[in-house]
Amino acid sequence: MLELLELLEKDSRLTTEEMAIRLGISKEDLEKQIKEYEEQGVIVGYTTMINWEKTEKENVTALIEAKVTPQRLEGFDRVAERIYKFPEVTNCYLMSGGFDLMVIIEGRTLKEVAMFVAHKLAPLESVLSTSTHFVLKKYKEKGRIFSKGETDEREAIFL
């Protein structure tokens, strides 16, 4: 039931009654399906998206491209597991193209992120190289627009 998963992904605050009505099924059947998805690992958690720029919390997000050596008989999985277990890592993806893994981390400062790369990520035996990119501003994430209605306050200069 992909429609259920799509509803949950878009807005996990919907009540089971609201979702059942939208999907045209009973509340009991819906709850049973959700429980099955949780047990199967299809649904792995429920989260809230926060626009941290509108709070007092200092937060830096970095996207790190990593070239790694795959491990014998385990490919990239073992290397990725070592990396994604670090608490700073929010996302870790196997990629095609010029690098192998995309590692997304969050820290309080640029220096904290740099120290993670220098002292935890780069020294790993399988990591051949890294390239770090800092997120300067989030415009859209997971389909949600972060900066609606903001306008450029600079004055136009005409020559």
Side-chain angles (χ1 to χ4, degrees), residues 17-141:
E17 291 86 4
E18 291 170 322
M19 286 187 284
I21 290 168
R22 288 186 188 189
L23 297 170
I25 61 174
S26 73
K27 179 183 169 194
E28 293 74 23
D29 287 343
L30 178 87
E31 289 171 343
K32 181 181 174 190
Q33 185 65 61
I34 289 173
K35 186 174 172 45
E36 285 178 24
Y37 281 147
E38 290 170 342
E39 289 170 354
Q40 295 168 358
V42 174
I43 296 175
V44 294
Y46 300 88
T47 63
T48 301
M49 291 182 62
I50 308 293
N51 185 350
W52 291 109
E53 290 181 13
K54 295 190 180 250
T55 71
E56 65 278 352
K57 181 181 177 184
E58 293 296 318
N59 196 44
V60 175
T61 301
L63 289 71
I64 305 165
E65 300 170 348
K67 288 187 181 185
V68 300
T69 304
Q71 299 296 300
R72 189 171 191 198
L73 303 175
E74 296 177 346
F76 294 101
D77 294 346
R78 176 68 78 208
V79 180
E81 182 179 6
R82 288 189 68 195
I83 293 170
Y84 70 63
K85 283 188 174 181
F86 288 116
E88 297 90 342
V89 175
T90 61
N91 301 296
C92 185
Y93 305 104
L94 179 62
M95 305 294 290
S96 63
F99 56 95
D100 302 307
L101 297 176
M102 171 63 74
V103 181
I104 302 175
I105 71 164
E106 291 186 355
R108 287 175 293 156
T109 65
L110 295 174
K111 183 176 181 177
E112 189 175 281
V113 171
M115 291 299 102
F116 169 81
V117 174
H119 297 293
K120 292 183 178 179
L121 183 60
L124 291 176
E125 186 177 298
S126 298
V127 174
L128 302 173
S129 67
T130 63
S131 179
T132 303
H133 308 273
F134 291 98
V135 174
L136 302 177
K137 182 175 182 176
K138 288 183 184 179
Y139 293 102
K140 188 174 184 179
E141 185 174 298

